[in-house]
Amino acid sequence: MENRTHLISESDTVDSRDVTTWALPEGAIARLGRGWVPDIAFSPDERYLAVGTWMGLWLYDLEILSPVALWETERGMVGCVTFSPNGRWIAVSNSDNMLKVLDIKNGACLTQVETDDHISGLTFSLDNRYLAAAYARSSTVEIWHAKTGDPLAKFTANVEKARFTRPICFSPDTQLIASSCIIDTTHNTDAIVVWDIESGQQIALLIAHTKEITKICFSPCGKFLASGGEDGTVYVWDVNTWQQVQSYTDFGDVYRIFPSYSSEGILHAAIMTYEDIAPSTISVCNLESGEQLYTQQISLTTEDYSYFNYWGKTITFLNGSQLAYECKHNFINVWTLSKPDTRQILHSPISYPISVMFSEDGKTLAAEHHHEGVVLWDVESRRSQPTIKDPSAGKNQFLYAPVNGKFYVATINRNNVSLWSIDEDRRLVAEGMRHDYKSMCPLLTPTGNHLVCALEDGTLIVWDVQNGKKFRELTHPLYVDEDEDDEDNPDEFEQLKLSPDGRFLASESRFTPVRLWDLQTGKEVGTFPSDIYSIIGFSPCGRYLACLGEYIQLWDITSGEMFKTSIKQDLVADEYAFSPCGRYLAASIDEIFLWDIVRGELHMQLPLPQGCQKMFPLIFSTCGNYFAAGAWWQPGIKKVPICLWEVVSGKQLATFWGHPTDVQALTFSPDNRLLASASYDGVIYLWDLTPYL
């Protein structure tokens, strides 16, 4: 691993220690973040930690706690990672149903197999001869020869379905293969299914767990099989009789439990607990003696666990002695029995960004991450830090555009909102504001004076940020059909929009008319026509509210009149954006349309890049002269495009290819020299625009 030539091409002249420049796509000057993490794995000798992300595969040296290799960036979307027991190979799968075996020395691909389904569990046999995978959408397990990729066997359980995370393991003698499957979809119950590899017969279906099974493992002697699940129980089964011989319970409020045998055959378990008030913990204990081997508080709250319920593989526990798990906003904690002190690997951040924005001076880039809080990036040093360091704030955080040079962040803990001013002091501005509407974030007025919170009964509360008191209470009546049961399809808020000066609020629900409110008076401004079914947003000047009906229509807030444009909506657009001057409205449908609102006519129509069916998001530069759009992934493409156009001429100036999956957000720097793109892959690229402007 001393030779780093495989990390970056020989033509690159960047500092090899600056991982933000490793394997950059053309046109990018930096990569912020190292990718969303579905899976992590230890090498058998505990020298390396492999971190599979959606932008590629990172290899960390556990002695120096730093990355030494970055592979699989051509496509990315790595889902599962595992080392061979001899430590010579790494197997990786990706979302394109591609399975590869890589050489640990240089990352070269030794074997490649196109699979029938998305892989959700991956393992080598103890003798290194075979590689097995469990599929996510069917209760199927497939086995290949590890060196050649030639198929060996394929088994399908006679049960209802599979699930996204399916643990899988070989018996030590490579005669048996075990995995999990769902046997009761109503109660989300898992079972263990075991096959005899030589005969191809299913020889056992082990039913005991009442929830999802998180890990299964054979003892080194091969006489026992252990399983752990979300029900907080570890069961041990006799391999000869397939009878349950032991169970371990009473671990408290367990989120997940991961059993694993040590090389001496002692059963250990990593236990993840959660508490409503006390800090959550992760611990390792000897199940047979009850000895506690490791314990650590973690920064998860009960509201964070919905994220891990789906992507629950950012924890690994192997050989009864190797533990790695996500911690805080940018660390992976590592514990091993041989080195019991907790070590931290910087991997920033763990989840994916959903919005980005520059500070007014362009020196800082703020990113709101899904279930990971808000992160601030220093554009020059490319270092990150969480905006809110108080662990009680939680990770349910929302970012707002700078007001008077400062970012604001709202945090929600048990339906109570706190608002923070993000300057050097990270000042708490207001707290205790109620908001129980889970699918919609609170709105901060552009002036920073008021915060709008929604309640599930249709109430909108406007809070005064300065004193933390209620300023206005508005009621958007929700539709209730007394003759029908609406529990499965209730009326609820779809959108809330604020005018640029913060005076007006537009509210939209699923089944009732759009309403416009004057926050100064607390009065409803007017009644919208029944054919208006959705809000686009306010024009930058604040005079017009653009709405959708058969045509795009503009509500003139000054006169209270609604008038139609000539822009007919045959298809609902995926995204809309106003130019800073308010003259142009862009929409992405099957092409990108730019309408001249002043003239009420189509300004230009731009075809989408080849292979793209959807462009989202859309954004104008701060000067209004340029326009950018990012794409969502479509089958058959390895990277999604980000396109840059000139507004007046419609000339396409550049196309950037870097993200392997959906672009979530775009933002121009204040001087328009940089374009930042955030993606579902978990990273942000900074693109240099100076050659094109």
Side-chain angles (χ1 to χ4, degrees):
M1 296 302 302
E2 287 74 18
N3 184 357
R4 298 191 179 204
T5 56
H6 61 278
L7 301 180
I8 23 183
S9 66
E10 295 180 0
S11 62
D12 286 331
T13 58
V14 297
D15 184 348
S16 63
R17 295 169 297 178
D18 182 8
V19 298
T20 69
T21 61
W22 286 7
L24 284 179
E26 184 179 356
I29 61 172
R31 179 194 296 109
L32 307 181
R34 300 182 188 176
W36 188 18
V37 181
D39 203 8
I40 47 183
F42 283 94
S43 64
D45 59 5
E46 297 183 3
R47 182 178 179 184
Y48 302 114
L49 186 74
V51 180
T53 78
W54 278 23
M55 58 77 50
L57 176 69
W58 293 90
L59 194 65
Y60 287 87
D61 187 312
L62 291 178
E63 285 296 323
I64 61 176
L65 302 178
S66 295
V68 292
L70 174 58
W71 300 325
E72 293 299 299
T73 59
E74 296 82 5
R75 174 65 182 109
M77 304 302 292
V78 175
C80 291
V81 182
T82 189
F83 281 88
S84 61
N86 61 14
R88 294 169 54 189
W89 307 320
I90 304 178
V92 298
S93 65
N94 70 19
S95 64
D96 293 339
N97 300 343
M98 194 63 67
L99 174 62
K100 295 181 180 181
V101 178
L102 308 179
D103 190 325
I104 187 65
K105 294 180 180 179
N106 53 22
C109 181
L110 305 175
T111 302
Q112 181 171 306
V113 177
E114 187 172 355
T115 63
D116 295 334
D117 194 359
H118 182 79
I119 291 175
S120 62
L122 195 59
T123 188
F124 281 95
S125 61
L126 191 60
D127 59 8
N128 307 289
R129 295 171 59 195
Y130 305 119
L131 180 62
Y135 290 147
R137 300 178 183 91
S138 65
S139 297
T140 298
V141 166
E142 192 161 7
I143 306 174
W144 301 268
H145 291 270
K147 280 188 176 181
T148 64
D150 294 332
L152 174 70
K154 191 173 185 178
F155 311 110
T156 300
N158 184 23
V159 292
E160 290 197 36
K161 59 184 293 188
R163 68 167 76 246
F164 190 84
T165 301
R166 291 184 63 203
I168 184 173
C169 63
F170 281 99
S171 61
D173 59 7
T174 320
Q175 293 183 5
L176 306 176
I177 187 81
S179 185
S180 69
C181 53
I182 298 178
I183 58 169
D184 185 345
T185 55
T186 302
H187 299 93
N188 205 28
T189 302
D190 268 9
I192 303 167
V193 59
V194 185
W195 292 275
D196 182 286
I197 295 175
E198 184 176 354
S199 68
Q201 298 299 309
Q202 179 179 315
I203 61 172
L205 184 66
L206 310 178
I207 302 174
H209 289 283
T210 58
K211 292 184 180 179
E212 179 179 346
I213 295 171
T214 52
K215 186 174 175 62
I216 55 178
C217 57
F218 283 94
S219 61
C221 65
K223 295 180 180 180
F224 303 102
L225 176 68
S227 61
E230 288 187 357
D231 55 7
T233 304
V234 172
Y235 293 105
V236 180
W237 313 82
D238 186 303
V239 170
N240 290 322
T241 64
W242 297 116
Q243 296 298 308
Q244 186 189 130
V245 295
Q246 186 62 272
S247 64
Y248 300 92
T249 57
D250 301 326
F251 299 111
D253 293 325
V254 173
Y255 162 64
R256 284 191 171 180
I257 189 165
F258 301 81
S260 179
Y261 283 97
S262 70
S263 57
E264 296 81 17
I266 301 173
L267 185 58
H268 295 167
I271 304 167
M272 210 171 183
T273 65
Y274 62 90
E275 302 287 347
D276 285 334
I277 300 176
S280 301
T281 63
I282 187 164
S283 60
V284 176
C285 71
N286 181 325
L287 292 180
E288 298 174 12
S289 69
E291 179 187 3
Q292 195 84 356
L293 304 175
Y294 173 80
T295 185
Q296 182 74 35
Q297 292 183 357
I298 53 179
S299 60
L300 292 177
T301 67
T302 53
E303 293 179 351
D304 296 324
Y305 280 90
S306 61
Y307 166 71
F308 287 93
N309 276 332
Y310 191 71
W311 297 103
K313 297 173 66 178
T314 46
I315 176 172
T316 187
F317 184 52
L318 299 172
N319 304 319
S321 62
Q322 301 168 320
L323 174 69
Y325 59 94
E326 177 265 343
C327 178
K328 298 182 180 177
H329 96 286
N330 59 356
F331 290 103
I332 296 173
N333 273 8
V334 175
W335 171 87
T336 60
L337 200 57
S338 60
K339 293 184 178 181
D341 292 334
T342 303
R343 291 170 285 168
Q344 288 192 327
I345 289 176
L346 177 66
H347 186 98
S348 175
I350 301 297
S351 70
Y352 62 90
I354 56 177
S355 69
V356 286
M357 57 186 69
F358 281 96
S359 60
E360 292 178 352
D361 60 9
K363 295 181 179 180
T364 303
L365 183 70
E368 179 184 326
H369 287 257
H370 179 69
H371 283 281
E372 199 61 37
V374 177
V375 177
L376 296 181
W377 291 93
D378 184 286
V379 174
E380 183 176 356
S381 68
R382 298 161 191 170
R383 296 180 181 273
S384 69
Q385 60 175 314
T387 55
I388 310 298
K389 298 181 180 180
D390 184 348
S392 65
K395 296 181 179 180
N396 201 1
Q397 302 177 8
F398 304 94
L399 174 67
Y400 305 104
V403 179
N404 298 324
K406 295 180 290 187
F407 289 110
Y408 283 83
V409 171
T411 63
I412 301 181
N413 192 351
R414 297 180 179 87
N415 296 339
N416 288 315
V417 182
S418 298
L419 186 66
W420 307 74
S421 172
I422 307 305
D423 48 23
E424 293 182 358
D425 297 328
R426 304 291 199 273
R427 184 170 56 90
L428 179 62
V429 177
E431 59 183 336
M433 298 172 287
R434 184 184 167 203
H435 178 91
D436 63 15
Y437 200 78
K438 297 294 189 297
S439 62
M440 185 171 293
C441 69
L443 293 183
L444 181 68
T445 57
T447 58
N449 295 326
H450 298 102
L451 191 77
V452 181
C453 295
L455 305 184
E456 292 180 346
D457 63 0
T459 301
L460 296 167
I461 301 177
V462 184
W463 298 91
D464 188 316
V465 169
Q466 300 301 318
N467 57 32
K469 296 181 179 180
K470 189 182 297 185
F471 175 69
R472 294 274 184 248
E473 183 170 314
L474 314 172
T475 300
H476 183 126
L478 301 179
Y479 175 75
V480 178
D481 190 338
E482 302 293 344
D483 298 327
E484 294 186 15
D485 184 2
D486 290 328
E487 289 185 3
D488 296 330
N489 191 31
D491 192 12
E492 57 186 12
F493 285 120
E494 295 268 287
Q495 289 191 87
L496 298 175
K497 297 284 188 180
L498 282 165
S499 62
D501 60 3
R503 178 174 176 177
F504 296 99
L505 171 70
S507 60
E508 171 193 333
S509 76
R510 298 175 64 184
F511 303 131
T512 56
V514 172
R515 296 176 183 270
L516 182 64
W517 311 88
D518 186 328
L519 297 186
Q520 286 188 1
T521 64
K523 303 296 184 180
E524 186 174 341
V525 173
T527 302
F528 281 63
S530 59
D531 62 340
I532 297 297
Y533 58 84
S534 185
I535 304 166
I536 294 176
F538 287 91
S539 62
C541 65
R543 179 176 178 179
Y544 300 109
L545 175 64
C547 304
L548 286 178
E550 182 181 2
Y551 293 81
I552 291 181
Q553 301 188 39
L554 299 179
W555 175 281
D556 189 321
I557 297 173
T558 304
S559 66
E561 296 180 355
M562 176 77 74
F563 62 91
K564 295 181 180 180
T565 70
S566 61
I567 310 166
K568 187 172 183 179
Q569 286 299 278
D570 297 322
L571 295 171
V572 177
D574 298 313
E575 175 78 348
Y576 296 91
F578 273 105
S579 63
C581 65
R583 176 166 187 169
Y584 299 107
L585 176 65
S588 173
I589 307 177
D590 51 355
E591 294 183 283
I592 293 178
F593 296 83
L594 264 68
W595 286 289
D596 188 321
I597 294 296
V598 175
R599 295 183 177 180
E601 61 186 25
L602 181 65
H603 174 62
M604 65 179 60
Q605 192 169 335
L606 305 170
L608 301 185
Q610 186 175 3
C612 290
Q613 300 175 20
K614 190 174 186 179
M615 294 294 280
F616 172 91
L618 313 178
I619 189 170
F620 285 87
S621 62
T622 57
C623 64
N625 296 330
Y626 308 102
F627 171 75
W632 279 25
W633 181 81
Q634 298 292 331
I637 61 175
K638 289 186 176 181
K639 303 289 184 181
V640 299
I642 298 169
C643 299
L644 178 70
W645 292 274
E646 187 177 58
V647 172
V648 175
S649 66
K651 179 182 178 182
Q652 186 169 331
L653 302 176
T655 302
F656 302 113
W657 305 84
H659 297 291
T661 188
D662 306 347
V663 176
Q664 298 287 313
L666 295 170
T667 186
F668 285 88
S669 62
D671 61 5
N672 299 305
R673 295 179 181 274
L674 292 177
L675 177 68
S677 61
S679 169
Y680 200 54
D681 61 10
V683 304
I684 299 167
Y685 282 114
L686 297 180
W687 305 94
D688 184 6
L689 301 184
T690 52
Y692 312 102
L693 305 184

